[in-house]
């Protein structure tokens, strides 16, 4: 019974939906079941999944990052024009891209937390600023052609492997980035970000530096967009349209994974699964002959449906919980046996060994 309840929860439903979509794709296209084809599929999803990982940290903190797509575009243009055909520039340009991405995230985070400007406005402004800079630099046309050594990061891999034959670098990078993100969620930073999204005032009362945690969440988001940009150079080319709309795809993937808009609840693995669901759905629509012009409409419907389902499921769980008896007038409420006296701090900031486990 618990397994069924988990699969029907917003966090578990995304995995069930992924299995159904992949099965449908394999029925319509049996060649998709080939291990090599599956590796290519994961390679194609990797940039979207990596961007979703970054967006997860921002959304679970109760914020938004709308600058990811434009940052990807800017990083692609930087790589295309600065690397050129000189292989010796690959490492220095990669370092420059990482520094630039971290700087964008730092600016987004500091303006949001210290100046108290809504993140929606901050990142929307950053999106327009980056996009305007790219258009001024390129004139709106494709420009730059990085060396093949740089492009191999996104399109290359390890060949002649038994069964799968080809293991793309993008798959390994996605696995490493996800492992790092999971590790961060287990560290104080991850707990602080979730606590901030759950109850920012309680985090302030607990004495934690929530502004610094949120700023680092924006930095992770921008670094994720930078890594995705490096991969996209490999097989998407260098064009001002590369990366456009990725911020909305990432938000859709995160919401599909059951992460609550407004913060405080979510599982990063489910957010990555949401990216795979989106790509599988679009692949299924292409096989079925649905016009690509309907892609944005489908994405909008998915966001509305996922948020509505998550809200309904969350309210149902709250109604199904044990009712709390109201204290008699004039008396202090009596805490249940074994409950902590301090109730102001959210579970994510509770001491180790006494932390509550909250469902999504």
């Amino acid at each position: 019974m618990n397994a069924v309840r988990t699969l029907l929860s917003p966090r578990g439903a995304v995995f069930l939906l992924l299995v159904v979509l992949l099965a449908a794709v394999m029925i319509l296209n049996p060649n998709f079941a080939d291990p090599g084809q599956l590796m290519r599929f994961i390679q194609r999803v990797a940039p979207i999944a990596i961007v979703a990982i970054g967006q997860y940290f921002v959304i679970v903190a109760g914020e938004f990052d709308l600058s990811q797509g434009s940052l990807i575009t800017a990083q692609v243009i930087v790589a295309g024009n600065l690397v050129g055909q000189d292989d010796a520039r690959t490492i220095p340009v990669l370092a420059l891209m990482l520094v630039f991405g971290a700087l964008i995230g730092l600016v987004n985070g500091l303006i949001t937390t210290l100046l108290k400007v809504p993140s929606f406005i901050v990142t929307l402004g950053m999106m327009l600023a980056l996009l305007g800079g790219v258009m001024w630099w390129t004139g709106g046309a494709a420009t730059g052609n990085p060396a093949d050594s740089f492009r191999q990061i996104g399109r290359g891999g390890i060949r002649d492997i038994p069964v799968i034959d080809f293991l793309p670098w993008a798959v390994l990078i996605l696995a490493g980035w996800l492992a790092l993100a999971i590790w961060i969620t287990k560290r104080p930073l991850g707990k602080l970000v979730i606590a901030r999204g759950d109850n920012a005032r309680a985090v302030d009362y607990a004495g934690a530096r929530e502004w610094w945690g949120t700023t680092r969440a924006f930095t992770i988001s921008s670094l994720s967009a930078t890594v995705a940009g490096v991969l996209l150079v490999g097989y998407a080319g260098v064009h001002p349209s590369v990366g456009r709309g990725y911020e909305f795809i990432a938000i859709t993937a995160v919401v599909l994974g059951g992460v609550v808009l407004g913060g405080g609840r979510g599982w990063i693995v489910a957010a990555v699964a949401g990216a795979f669901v989106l790509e599988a759905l679009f692949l299924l629509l292409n096989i079925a002959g649905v016009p690509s012009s309907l892609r944005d409409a489908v994405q909008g419907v998915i966001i509305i449906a996922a948020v509505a389902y998550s809200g309904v499921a969350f309210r149902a769980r709250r109604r199904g919980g044990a009712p709390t008896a109201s204290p008699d007038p004039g008396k202090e409420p009596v805490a249940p046996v074994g409950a902590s006296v301090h109730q102001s701090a959210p579970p994510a900031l509770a001491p180790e060994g006494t932390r509550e486990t909250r469902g999504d």
Side-chain angles (χ1 to χ4, degrees):
M1 188 64 183
N2 289 335
V4 174
R5 187 178 303 171
T6 300
L7 283 176
L8 295 179
S9 69
R11 186 174 75 174
V14 65
F15 297 98
L16 181 61
L17 182 58
L18 178 59
V19 171
V20 171
L21 289 173
L22 291 178
V25 172
M26 291 177 185
I27 291 173
L28 295 177
N29 181 18
N31 292 331
F32 185 78
D34 182 74
Q37 291 293 329
L38 288 175
M39 283 295 105
R40 292 291 186 181
F41 173 73
I42 299 174
Q43 180 186 26
R44 194 162 59 248
V45 180
I48 301 173
I50 290 173
V51 175
I53 289 172
Q55 191 71 240
Y56 163 84
F57 282 99
V58 176
I59 289 181
V60 84
E63 306 292 349
F64 283 99
D65 188 356
L66 301 181
S67 66
Q68 285 183 314
S70 294
L71 179 57
I72 291 174
T73 303
Q75 298 285 31
V76 167
I77 297 301
V78 166
N81 286 271
L82 295 187
V83 174
Q85 295 302 311
D86 188 355
D87 291 335
R89 296 182 181 179
T90 296
I91 300 301
V93 172
L94 275 175
L96 175 64
M97 293 170 68
L98 291 173
V99 171
F100 179 60
L103 179 62
I104 295 298
L106 190 64
V107 171
N108 285 339
L110 292 178
I111 294 178
T112 298
T113 57
L114 297 186
L115 299 184
K116 306 300 181 183
V117 181
S119 60
F120 184 89
I121 301 300
V122 174
T123 57
L124 178 62
M126 183 63 73
M127 176 184 74
L128 296 175
L130 290 172
L131 187 59
V134 166
M135 291 302 174
W136 172 79
W137 189 354
T138 64
T143 177
N145 184 25
D148 190 62
S149 60
F150 193 97
R151 298 175 70 95
Q152 284 299 312
I153 301 174
R155 66 167 59 169
I158 305 174
R159 299 188 179 276
D160 300 325
I161 296 180
V163 183
I164 63 174
D165 184 54
F166 176 64
L167 179 60
W169 296 122
V171 175
L172 296 176
I173 292 173
L174 171 60
W177 200 253
L178 177 58
L180 176 62
I182 293 174
W183 179 77
I184 291 175
T185 60
K186 305 296 183 182
R187 303 295 298 167
L189 172 59
K191 298 175 184 179
L192 175 61
V193 168
I194 294 175
R196 197 265 185 187
D198 186 40
N199 193 332
R201 182 172 295 182
V203 173
D204 289 336
Y205 289 158
R209 295 189 300 171
E210 63 92 9
W211 68 270
W212 181 227
T214 304
T215 299
R216 284 184 286 177
F218 276 103
T219 303
I220 294 172
S221 177
S222 294
L223 288 175
S224 297
T226 299
V227 174
V230 172
L231 296 180
L232 286 171
V233 171
Y235 58 88
V238 179
H239 193 277
S241 64
V242 175
R244 188 170 298 179
Y246 262 65
E247 64 277 2
F248 298 112
I249 296 176
I251 291 173
T252 306
V254 171
V255 170
L256 263 176
V259 180
V260 177
L261 293 179
R265 290 173 178 82
W267 186 30
I268 194 166
V269 178
V272 172
F276 280 86
V277 166
L278 273 182
E279 190 64 27
L281 176 61
F282 294 143
L283 178 59
L284 182 62
L285 293 177
N286 288 336
I287 295 175
V290 177
S292 59
S293 57
L294 291 177
R295 180 168 177 160
D296 291 339
V298 172
Q299 191 171 314
V301 171
I302 289 173
I303 293 178
I304 296 173
V307 172
Y309 178 68
S310 179
V312 170
F314 178 65
R315 286 193 297 271
R317 285 199 302 273
R318 294 191 65 178
R319 286 196 300 267
T324 302
S326 300
D328 293 334
K331 295 184 178 180
E332 290 293 328
V334 179
V337 177
S340 174
V341 176
H342 303 285
Q343 299 293 333
S344 59
L349 292 181
E352 293 292 341
T354 62
R355 186 174 68 253
E356 300 177 16
T357 300
R358 177 178 56 221
D360 295 328

